[in-house]
Amino acid sequence: MGVSESDKIFQSLAVGKRKPRVIVIGTGLSGICMGMRLMAAGYDDLILLEQADRCGGTWHYNQYPGLRCDVPSHYYQYSFEPSAEWSQRFCGGEEIREYFERMARKYHVFERIRFNTQSKHAEWTGSDWAVDIETAAGGREQLRCDILIASCGILVRPNYPDIPGLDSFAGKVIHSARWDHSVDLTGKRVGVIGNGSTGIQMIKPLTDICAKVVSFQRTPQWVLPIPNRKYGDRGRNLARRFPIISKFYYVTFRFAMEQLMGRGIIKDGWSRRMVGKLCKKNLETVADPVLRAKLTPDYTPMCKRLVMSSDFYPAIQRPNAELERAGIDHVEPKGIVTKEGKLHELDVIALATGYHANEYMLPMTMTGENGITLDDVWKDGPRGYRTVALPGFPNFFMVMGPHSPVGNFSLASIAETQSAYIMRFVDMWAERKFEKVSPREDATERFNAEMLANMKNTVWTTGCKSWYLDDKGVPGSWPWTATRFRNDLQDPRLQEYVIS
Ligand code: NAP
């Protein structure tokens, strides 16, 4: 076996162990995964900062009716911690959050989390990071660390739509990502604005209990049916006895998602056509041709994030459900008025209007080497080196950073790959192989240029608006296969880093 360029650099560096002080920002599935890896390797001088009062990230913030993950739970878990406890193929939000919290507790990550704590600013001092934090009570403090890791999520800050008169509504307005459980929806008239994955998931459970549900859709969505399946006690007992079963499910679902959805997203071909056919066939189950026409999108399936649901079409055809496509003109105290002048009288407005996507660690500010700021490096939008690092920001890494394959496959799998890669650098720092490391500017530019050139083949650029696209129409995701992603982050190419 030949000696690679990276191996040569490894061998030329000094050896001798030390323990880094590490700060991880965010405790969603990415931050917890990073924390687990650090703890498993014995790097326990670790603090995780969490602005909420619970861990779980998106699975903490989202608690709306019908919340469910549309990635099979066996594939939405860490491959090295398969669970035998999943209750169904597509589990609900709280069950998923509990899995991640269970993992945080198992690896003693949980007790290292500082809840209700926001990181406001991070500054490279020349030898370490100074991180300014603020507690919910308003207390301010500065922490120091040798290695700083941001795992702040992608869809965090809710998008409150700018609809005239929304403030004047006499009933309740609730955003899907800040659900208000004190509002009893039984027998109420509810308007749902937005029909992405969230708005569509809500319709069935709302029609179960509400007097009337109006779905306000600006742009129709393609919907792929995904029949759910409960796992009984016998199946779970078997999985407990034979962990290989859970692993088998993991590998099977991973193969299906990567080969079917993942492939169709990045290039045209049989898988894109097959998903399209399945969606069109699903749409044909809507009996009323007028309703079917209103529900028919005019763009390629998967251009917007594909909505997966087996119960939306049956639910929207219920007598207490109504689809409104006329467009919202304004809101008044009694309800929502469409551009055609129709007033929908409502008790509750549910905003399923998404997020300010792709903000990563923003609005936190950062200053790297020679006074360079995050605003400087992201003036043309969030970019990074192979999704995990930033030039000019030494000993700083990201899990789920810019252009991670968030639209392509399971986020748990992405977090695993990125955190394993970051661990290589933590180990190298511990072995005194460097004091500071950051990716080279030219390597970062080369990576981004190649990536952007490949975006033209992806389904995201086939003519629709979605949260994947930035304001210049550039997708913020990954234009290649899962295999390439794992290969790219297998071994650090040290020649693409500035090491000292
Ligand atoms: P989204 O996909 O961004 O959808 C937002 C919806 O709100 C769209 O229908 C949009 O219409 C509409 N909207 C936004 N502003 C509006 C306005 N001013 N007036 C009228 N309509 C407006 O958000 P999301 O549904 O919360 O989903 C975000 C992502 O979260 C998903 O794509 C998915 O990745 C993830 N998610 C996953 C699951 C899961 O099961 N794993 C579940 C929920 C969410 P336009 O389309 O016309 O812009």
Side-chain angles (χ1 to χ4, degrees), residues 64 68 70 195-198 218-219 304-305 352-354 467:
Y64 59 82
R68 184 168 297 290
D70 56 17
N195 56 307
S197 305
T198 303
R218 193 164 62 180
T219 318
K304 279 175 177 288
R305 206 281 197 167
T353 43
W467 65 263

